[in-house]
Amino acid sequence: MEPRIVVVGASLGGLRAAEQLRSAGWSGQIVVIGDEPHPPYNRPPLSKATLAAPGTVRESLAALTFRPKRSATDVTWKLGTAVTAADLAAGVLELDDGERITFTGLVVASGLRPARVPAPGPLAGRHVVRRLEDSLALHAELAPGARVVVVGSGFIGCEVAATAATLGARVTLIEGGLGPMERTLGPALSAGVRGLLERHGVHVIPGARVIGFRGAGRCTGVALADGTEVGADVVVEAVGSVPNTAWLAGNGLDLADGVECDARLRVVDAAGTALPNVVAVGDVARYPDGRTAGPARRVEHWATPTDTAKIAAPTLVAALAGEQTPAPEPPLPSFWTDLFNVRIQGVGSPARADRIEVFEGDPAAPATGAAVGYYLGDRLIGAVTAGLPAPRQLYYRQQVLDASAPATLATV
């Protein structure tokens, strides 16, 4: 068999993996398999600009589709096809069209799917936002005056709420256990985001839990644990994501939360032994936090596919040649969101902080400009800016880079 690397997942992670495999010197076959019919496209606009004014599928794809780098040459794309099972020891994948494909090396880039609220009720009228078709279907229901209930106040939930309000919908945001993006931003800046949403007409219900969806045939409301019922014409569930790992079952891997990897992004088995020819990239990969010495975790940020592909691809190419790459520098997570033309941008690992310090401005008024630092002990491990110009964003990014340079790099 001619040497072949198969990449499972044809979103940004799959694209970046293919590019980096060629850049690392792989000259054999590369086959990228994805269950969506579209080539890799940009997902963050799906809850913002695309949701606000999507156009047709063709127009949206023209604006969103990534252009592969020149390094991504001679790559076979098999789209609209799902991988249903894998035998990693034998190097064989089974596809939903009945085909079996062999591999020399494997890149797990299968990403996530939206979680759903575990509560009874009709499904019609309830939306998630993960794929282009999700965004187009939701946009069609966001008429001015429509009662829109968004369940979940993470990045997607807040962005959808802001976009729907901009389109003239009457929006209710049900926060759940934490405030808007609080896990990442901390309580002070989260409260500022809540105020920003409320000032633009979003009704926020804090600390609420959904126990059911009302309606016969189509969802017409949301029932909360405190007995409140919120009427709805449209419901959006933005309650997190589930890693797409079912196809890897039966291979002795730890799939409790994504695919467990070592610092080189090599997939490891349940005993902690790295597989010689399997790596993972993107938000499906759970890998050690080398900058804060934290436990292995998944990072669901837009830059993660690129950051992890730069490590995983050279690791795999070297392994297939019987070699090993130098110890990699751990990625520095980065993220951003735009709410009512206010950009909130962060770097590092704010969620791991045990102390938060305001660097400048007022977190309660993010539109006027603010910067917040996040510390673990005495070490700056993250920073978030809101409503500040690019030079200030870059300044704080550099502060985190300087402070979070890993004391020791992985040597295994």
Side-chain angles (χ1 to χ4, degrees), residues 153-154 175 177-191 194 351:
S153 60
E175 286 185 355
L178 296 174
M181 299 182 278
E182 185 173 332
R183 184 173 285 105
T184 299
L185 304 182
L189 194 49
S190 173
R194 182 189 295 118

Side-chain angles (χ1 to χ4, degrees), residues 289-332:
D289 183 351
R291 290 185 176 271
T292 66
R297 60 172 184 155
R298 295 185 303 104
V299 180
E300 295 184 20
H301 297 320
W302 185 85
T304 300
T306 300
D307 293 340
T308 53
K310 290 179 179 178
I311 297 173
T315 294
L316 181 57
V317 173
L320 294 178
E323 303 169 354
Q324 181 169 280
T325 56
E329 181 176 350
L332 178 68

Side-chain angles (χ1 to χ4, degrees), residues 205 207-212 214 221-231:
I205 302 178
R209 181 170 63 89
V210 174
I211 61 170
R214 298 294 183 248
V222 177
L224 306 182
D226 64 0
T228 302
E229 292 197 8
V230 183

Side-chain angles (χ1 to χ4, degrees), residues 4-392:
R4 176 190 299 135
I5 292 177
V6 176
V7 181
V8 178
S11 191
L12 179 58
L15 173 62
R16 294 293 183 252
E19 294 170 344
Q20 291 297 325
L21 288 167
R22 288 295 186 226
S23 294
W26 179 255
S27 58
Q29 294 182 22
I30 298 176
V31 178
V32 183
I33 304 173
D35 60 357
E36 288 191 68
H38 313 305
Y41 61 90
N42 198 18
R43 295 188 191 273
L46 298 182
S47 55
K48 299 186 283 289
T50 301
L51 181 59
T56 65
V57 171
R58 178 177 294 182
E59 290 167 341
S60 296
L61 285 173
L64 297 174
T65 299
F66 292 110
R67 292 185 178 182
K69 296 179 180 179
R70 291 182 178 179
S71 60
T73 58
D74 194 22
V75 174
T76 299
W77 294 85
K78 189 173 179 63
L79 303 176
T81 304
V83 177
T84 57
D87 184 335
L88 300 186
V92 178
L93 302 175
E94 296 182 12
L95 312 185
D96 63 357
D97 62 3
E99 182 182 356
R100 291 167 59 89
I101 184 170
T102 58
F103 63 84
T104 309
L106 177 67
V107 180
V108 179
S110 44
L112 311 173
R113 64 184 183 276
R116 304 301 296 251
V117 177
L123 287 172
R126 292 162 53 187
H127 296 259
V128 293
V129 179
R130 175 67 182 177
R131 301 186 175 198
L132 174 59
E133 287 78 8
D134 298 333
S135 186
L136 299 181
L138 177 57
H139 172 82
E141 297 202 39
L142 294 182
R147 298 171 302 164
V148 177
V149 175
V150 180
V151 183
S153 60
F155 282 79
I156 298 297
C158 290
E159 290 166 358
V160 169
T163 302
T166 300
L167 293 174
R170 294 181 288 163
V171 183
T172 298
L173 177 67
I174 300 174
E175 286 185 355
L178 296 174
M181 299 182 278
E182 185 173 332
R183 184 173 285 105
T184 299
L185 304 182
L189 194 49
S190 173
V193 171
R194 182 189 295 118
L196 176 66
L197 291 165
E198 291 176 330
R199 284 191 291 275
H200 284 82
V202 176
H203 175 51
V204 180
I205 302 178
R209 181 170 63 89
V210 174
I211 61 170
F213 297 94
R214 298 294 183 248
R218 180 182 172 88
C219 183
T220 58
V222 177
L224 306 182
D226 64 0
T228 302
E229 292 197 8
V230 183
D233 301 307
V234 184
V235 173
V236 182
E237 298 173 59
V239 292
S241 302
V242 180
N244 291 318
T245 58
W247 61 279
L248 288 166
N251 287 283
L253 306 180
D254 180 352
L255 304 176
D257 181 25
V259 182
E260 186 176 8
C261 302
D262 65 10
R264 299 178 188 274
L265 278 303
R266 297 177 295 191
V267 171
V268 301
D269 62 21
T273 302
L275 304 186
N277 64 335
V278 185
V279 297
V281 303
D283 42 21
V284 74
R286 173 163 45 97
Y287 54 92
D289 183 351
R291 290 185 176 271
T292 66
R297 60 172 184 155
R298 295 185 303 104
V299 180
E300 295 184 20
H301 297 320
W302 185 85
T304 300
T306 300
D307 293 340
T308 53
K310 290 179 179 178
I311 297 173
T315 294
L316 181 57
V317 173
L320 294 178
E323 303 169 354
Q324 181 169 280
T325 56
E329 181 176 350
L332 178 68
S334 61
F335 55 91
W336 81 91
T337 185
D338 294 302
L339 303 173
F340 303 111
N341 296 318
V342 177
R343 169 151 290 197
I344 299 173
Q345 193 161 344
V347 294
S349 304
R352 293 210 64 225
D354 55 22
R355 178 169 62 89
I356 300 175
E357 179 180 329
V358 177
F359 288 155
E360 64 176 278
D362 182 3
T368 65
V372 180
Y374 303 80
Y375 289 84
L376 184 61
D378 294 328
R379 188 179 184 189
L380 180 68
I381 62 169
V384 176
T385 62
L388 291 180
R392 299 303 292 163

